[in-house]
Amino acid sequence: MSAKHTPGPWRSKRALEMRDGAWDYAILDGESRIIAETFGIVGYGDSGLRPSEANARFIAAAPEMYEALKRACRLMACLKIRDILAAGDEAILASGLDEWCVNEGKASGDENYYPSFADRIITKAEGVAE
């Protein structure tokens, strides 16, 4: 399934004027259309944090991070297949590598074990699961 988000690359751009003593930022698609905004002052109690620029940069990097995660998952799968073939354990390949990886994660007790953790992030980004 392909992602349904606005295609990247995205970029952030500072507003022309300050508001309430802080800058707001727009996240723009490749055709300079606004797809998201971050606001200069975010109220967390009395702290009045100003993470707008950092949040805008992080959001703007999302399409590239998504692609990088998918590539990393494919690479990890290839490396796992190589290790299995080197060990001569073709029964794992016959039974399904993805199922084996998920079972390994459950057996280790690590919910962040590949591929379950990365797959959850990818399916969340694709709108398959929340």
Side-chain angles (χ1 to χ4, degrees):
M1 168 183 257
S2 63
K4 298 175 184 174
H5 61 74
T6 304
W10 298 349
R11 63 187 176 89
S12 62
K13 183 174 182 179
R14 192 178 73 193
L16 297 176
E17 296 179 16
M18 286 184 111
R19 187 173 60 142
D20 298 326
W23 294 102
D24 294 339
Y25 285 79
I27 293 81
L28 309 170
D29 68 6
E31 297 180 17
S32 295
R33 293 179 295 217
I34 296 174
I35 57 170
E37 293 178 284
T38 61
F39 301 99
I41 297 177
V42 179
Y44 293 105
D46 294 327
S47 65
L49 295 175
R50 292 180 166 85
S52 183
E53 182 179 6
N55 288 344
R57 286 193 315 264
F58 189 76
I59 293 166
E64 289 90 352
M65 289 190 292
Y66 171 71
E67 288 303 319
L69 179 60
K70 288 195 318 184
R71 288 179 185 178
C73 286
R74 286 193 299 270
L75 174 62
M76 288 188 290
C78 289
L79 293 173
K80 182 50 83 179
I81 290 169
R82 185 196 66 188
D83 292 346
I84 290 168
L85 290 174
D89 197 345
E90 295 179 16
I92 292 172
L93 290 177
S95 67
L97 180 64
D98 286 339
E99 182 180 336
W100 180 83
C101 286
V102 169
N103 290 335
E104 281 290 302
K106 288 178 183 173
S108 74
D110 182 0
E111 68 180 34
N112 295 329
Y113 187 85
Y114 168 78
S116 56
F117 179 67
D119 285 345
R120 281 197 311 270
I121 295 168
I122 290 169
T123 55
K124 181 179 179 183
E126 292 176 345
V128 177
E130 287 295 320

